[in-house]
Amino acid sequence: MSDKIKRKSDTKMVPFPSHAIVPERDLGSRPVLECSHLGIDFGGLRAVDDFNLTIGKTEIAGLIGPNGAGKTTVFNLLTKVYQPTSGTIMVNGKDTAGMNTAQANKLGLARTFQNIRLFNQMTVEDNVRIGLHNQISYGMFSGILRLPPYWSGEKKQHEKAMDLLSIFHMENMANEKAGSLPYGAQRRLEIVRALATNPSLLLLDEPAAGMNPKETEELMDNIIKIRDQFQIAIMLIEHDMNLVMGICEGICVLNFGRVIAKGTAEEIQHNPEVIEAYLGRQKED
Amino acid sequence: MKKTTVSKLLQKYLPYVIVIVGFAVCQSMVSAGTMPRTTKSLLIPVCVYIVMAVSLNLTVGISGELSLGHAGFMSIGAFTGIVIAAYVREVFGCSESLQLLISIAAGGVMAGLFGFLIGIPVLRLQGDYLAIVTLAFGEIIRNILNCIYISVDGSALRFSFNQPNLPGKLLFRGPTGATGVTRIATFTAGFILVLFTLFVVLNLVHSRSGRAIMAVRDNKIAAEACGLDVTKYRMMAFVTSAALAGMGGALFGQNYSTLTPANFSFNASILILVYVVLGGIGNITGSIIAATILYVLPEELRAFADYRMLVYAVVLIGVMLLTNNRTIKNFLNSLREKIRGNEEKKGGALHE
């Protein structure tokens, strides 16, 4: 028994992945997300490998990279759509190991999807009310028997839903079917629905996809507005470099499932590895 | 403005209105003696099949799971109801309406319990797989019932498996089912049960839990990402649907003097599914109308003897073609919009 105990001198020391950067204002508070050595295998393919990231409490972070780099896979790992093969994810200091998507959401992770996933046959307001499901609740029997908790719960849900919809000026669409909204409005509704779950980190998967430049400008303003109003962190995947460089504070670049660069917009723009990943190697002559 | 609120209220309570008006008409015809005997005998089964269709619509339309074993839950309710009613009569000797109430409640509880037990494995599946497994469970229930014998001995209920020689009075004997059942089901009870079913289903759908059930149907991954416990809400719909089917079954069982497990075969499940599909998946009012018409039609066609099922099949095909024909659909939609437009024009000035 005693010889099985590892002696101190055998311990292999590895660098802890916290050459992490967070905005200066968030230094005093616990980071909202800390992942270390995150990785997942699909069969023989290592889709994401050794992914380390720390996001400050009110940071707007960007995750960029060429197509197929594994950006959405990272989101799926964070929200527990996939269970990671290795590594840990800490949300507000709590380990999410063994949790499912719903539990990760209750812990404070809300997301939107690259290919929009709304509840198409339900109204806009009901979509937001689903987001409020765990925030304002009453039981099944109160619902069926129309007991007082039903009436007060419904009233609160309605007020809160309208309040949230007003961020994007969508109150007048409340009774329309979500599936019949124009594309841009569907994207905005997804963000509202995610916000309704009262997250501490909002994950946006290509929020500006399919939007025109004017809509993208508005979206940028709104993302900052949401951060300031709710005091939450936002992490976004985006191909629109104007948006990423315009509002993201910390940017992480992914290529072939590995982080190739981390830093501010300035640093990323001048990083030779990033330029190579996007544009290819410069001919040497 | 008054007109729009009235039409909105009417739309909201349309299923109740249809049922109440239907009940009033039938009841007045019965008391006036103008209803033929054959039609009169259809009143209770129609109520039961409305309950069955509406409850199945909760699973198929609202929760979006294709269930092919609904008759299984109906049979559990039916035989539980018969046994409990007979037991209560033997032991306590209470009034018939109380017997009926107790037996319906017991049928609902028992079917709900089985719905929960079956739901545990079944709700791990989705789509076609779920349909096939519910079909299998419907058949398993029927085959188990074929082997069960129940008797009441003094104040004790005795069960046995494959052993017909039980002490006391046999209430249920395997493949022969229940014979000599006291027919205590009444049309009024059927009417009340239909109202109860509508109350439960419609109120559930328009509440927090109902929205969660529909969200899971519309997009499971998004529902999970919104923090919904997907299994809980699928189970809620499945169990509620099973319990209501059990209540319908309990009433159904006590409308006939003899009932065998063979009455609740796969065909019975399909029959209910036909009502739901033709009435419109997710459309509660449609289920009520479809169940009424499609149950009464083949019975009334008995006069045509040999051509009965032929006419029934033609009607089914006709309904399917009509409800799926784009021209007709567009026509109906434009008609609906016209009516709505007129209303808005009339009410608009006051409304603003």
Side-chain angles (χ1 to χ4, degrees):
Chain A
M1 188 72 194
S2 60
D3 49 27
K4 274 195 177 171
I5 296 171
K6 264 188 184 171
R7 290 216 307 278
K8 227 182 202 168
S9 55
D10 292 342
T11 314
K12 191 182 165 200
M13 296 298 287
V14 293
F16 190 73
S18 44
H19 25 104
I21 44 168
V22 292
E24 201 177 354
R25 62 172 185 278
D26 292 337
L27 262 182
S29 41
R30 182 197 286 285
V32 64
L33 178 82
E34 297 156 274
C35 26
S36 50
H37 299 303
L38 200 58
I40 184 169
D41 294 325
F42 292 125
L45 178 77
R46 189 88 178 151
V48 171
D49 191 22
D50 199 25
F51 182 83
N52 302 305
L53 187 70
T54 303
I55 295 182
K57 193 168 177 287
T58 61
E59 181 177 347
I60 296 181
L63 182 60
I64 62 171
N67 288 326
K71 305 182 293 294
T72 300
T73 308
V74 168
F75 269 26
N76 284 338
L77 285 173
L78 294 178
T79 53
K80 292 289 171 171
V81 174
Y82 302 141
Q83 295 296 337
T85 322
S86 58
T88 53
I89 305 163
M90 309 272 274
V91 178
N92 290 324
K94 289 199 190 82
D95 195 345
T96 66
M99 286 190 179
N100 61 26
T101 307
Q103 287 164 327
N105 176 268
K106 284 176 197 162
L107 215 56
L109 287 180
R111 71 174 291 187
T112 67
F113 297 87
Q114 190 176 3
N115 45 346
I116 302 173
R117 289 178 181 274
L118 287 171
F119 308 120
N120 286 329
Q121 294 186 49
M122 300 169 71
T123 64
V124 169
E125 187 189 335
D126 283 352
N127 268 269
V128 182
R129 281 172 174 230
I130 291 296
L132 293 168
H133 188 85
N134 293 322
Q135 311 306 315
I136 301 165
S137 76
Y138 58 86
M140 174 195 177
F141 288 100
S142 312
I144 292 177
L145 300 174
R146 301 279 138 116
L147 299 179
Y150 165 84
W151 298 105
S152 66
E154 288 290 289
K155 187 161 165 271
K156 270 187 230 156
Q157 280 201 346
H158 173 75
E159 282 164 4
K160 185 86 206 221
M162 285 304 174
D163 212 28
L164 286 163
L165 281 172
S166 70
I167 299 173
F168 288 116
H169 309 292
M170 290 173 77
E171 309 100 308
N172 53 347
M173 302 177 185
N175 292 319
E176 279 177 49
K177 284 252 165 79
S180 66
L181 290 183
Y183 191 79
Q186 291 199 2
R187 285 235 170 263
R188 288 192 288 272
L189 176 57
E190 244 198 336
I191 298 176
V192 174
R193 186 183 66 189
L195 265 180
T197 65
N198 191 24
S200 43
L201 172 61
L202 183 60
L203 303 165
L204 304 176
D205 200 342
E206 300 202 17
M211 286 190 179
N212 63 36
K214 192 175 149 274
E215 283 178 312
T216 308
E217 284 290 325
E218 274 174 36
L219 179 70
M220 287 163 71
D221 292 341
N222 279 319
I223 288 174
I224 292 172
K225 193 173 119 192
I226 287 168
R227 194 267 314 269
D228 292 342
Q229 192 179 334
F230 294 88
Q231 286 294 307
I232 59 174
I234 296 170
M235 181 180 184
L236 50 91
I237 293 175
E238 189 47 70
H239 285 294
D240 185 328
M241 285 306 146
N242 280 331
L243 188 147
V244 175
M245 299 304 167
I247 61 171
C248 290
E249 292 158 313
I251 297 172
C252 174
V253 189
L254 213 59
N255 196 20
F256 294 116
R258 286 185 151 273
V259 176
I260 55 170
K262 264 197 266 189
T264 62
E266 285 271 295
E267 290 162 8
I268 294 296
Q269 274 166 336
H270 299 111
N271 186 310
E273 260 191 276
V274 176
I275 295 167
E276 189 191 315
Y278 270 93
L279 303 173
R281 194 186 296 266
Q282 212 163 18
K283 227 181 193 175
E284 285 171 35
D285 42 13
Chain B
M1 186 179 161
K2 221 175 196 176
K3 199 158 187 187
T4 39
T5 30
V6 168
S7 72
K8 241 183 205 168
L9 270 179
L10 193 71
Q11 215 166 17
K12 196 176 167 193
Y13 295 108
L14 187 61
Y16 296 105
V17 172
I18 289 175
V19 170
I20 292 169
V21 169
F23 173 73
V25 169
C26 291
Q27 193 66 2
S28 56
M29 276 174 83
V30 169
S31 43
T34 48
M35 187 175 273
R37 261 198 59 167
T38 43
T39 314
K40 218 167 123 184
S41 70
L42 298 180
L43 291 176
I44 296 170
V46 163
C47 288
V48 171
Y49 278 104
I50 290 176
V51 170
M52 298 305 296
V54 170
S55 61
L56 184 62
N57 212 339
L58 179 61
T59 316
V60 176
I62 310 299
S63 178
E65 330 271 10
L66 183 56
S67 165
L68 297 178
H70 212 50
F73 298 123
M74 188 184 180
S75 69
I76 290 173
F79 294 118
T80 309
I82 289 171
V83 168
I84 293 294
Y87 176 76
V88 170
R89 186 162 46 240
E90 289 282 317
V91 178
F92 303 107
C94 48
S95 72
E96 279 194 359
S97 47
L98 190 61
Q99 283 172 33
L100 193 60
L101 185 70
I102 293 172
S103 66
I104 288 176
V109 169
M110 195 60 133
L113 192 70
F114 272 83
F116 179 72
L117 291 177
I118 291 171
I120 294 170
V122 162
L123 293 179
R124 286 166 187 265
L125 305 168
Q126 265 157 10
D128 303 350
Y129 302 101
L130 186 138
I132 291 167
V133 175
T134 51
L135 187 162
F137 270 108
E139 293 298 288
I140 290 171
I141 290 170
R142 188 165 62 85
N143 283 301
I144 290 178
L145 283 173
N146 266 335
C147 308
I148 286 183
Y149 295 83
I150 303 172
S151 76
V152 56
D153 178 22
S155 66
L157 270 180
R158 296 193 185 280
F159 296 83
S160 79
F161 205 72
N162 267 339
Q163 291 290 322
N165 41 358
L166 277 171
K169 187 185 169 196
L170 265 177
L171 298 176
F172 183 80
R173 43 191 114 201
T176 336
T179 49
V181 179
T182 322
R183 297 173 58 181
I184 53 175
T186 60
F187 181 42
T188 314
F191 166 68
I192 293 169
L193 187 60
V194 170
L195 284 187
F196 174 78
T197 307
L198 286 177
F199 179 80
V200 169
V201 172
L202 291 174
N203 281 2
L204 178 64
V205 169
H206 296 117
S207 76
R208 170 176 169 270
S209 311
R211 282 193 294 272
I213 291 168
M214 289 188 282
V216 173
R217 168 198 69 191
D218 275 8
N219 201 315
K220 188 166 163 277
I221 294 175
E224 273 178 334
C226 285
L228 298 196
D229 186 344
V230 168
T231 315
K232 176 181 160 191
Y233 287 105
R234 291 175 81 199
M235 185 66 98
M236 188 185 279
F238 197 72
V239 171
T240 310
S241 163
L244 290 171
M247 291 179 161
L251 186 73
F252 186 77
Q254 295 173 83
N255 185 41
Y256 301 99
S257 50
T258 329
L259 199 67
T260 65
N263 289 24
F264 303 100
S265 63
F266 174 56
N267 285 340
S269 296
I270 292 294
L271 192 71
I272 304 163
L273 188 65
V274 167
Y275 300 155
V276 173
V277 172
L278 291 186
I281 290 176
N283 184 343
I284 305 292
T285 315
S287 291
I288 298 172
I289 296 169
T292 312
I293 294 176
L294 294 176
Y295 185 77
V296 172
L297 189 69
E299 300 296 328
E300 291 294 325
L301 283 175
R302 276 186 200 279
F304 295 94
D306 294 346
Y307 301 106
R308 186 166 80 100
M309 285 329 262
L310 184 68
V311 175
Y312 183 64
V314 169
V315 169
L316 278 189
I317 294 170
V319 170
M320 273 188 270
L321 286 178
L322 282 179
T323 48
N324 282 313
N325 188 306
R326 190 172 291 172
T327 329
I328 293 170
K329 257 190 179 167
N330 286 345
F331 173 71
L332 285 178
N333 278 340
S334 69
L335 207 67
R336 201 174 298 158
E337 258 158 43
K338 234 178 220 171
I339 294 168
R340 206 166 284 170
N342 280 343
E343 264 171 17
E344 259 161 41
K345 245 183 240 161
K346 278 179 201 161
L350 284 166
H351 203 68
E352 285 303 308

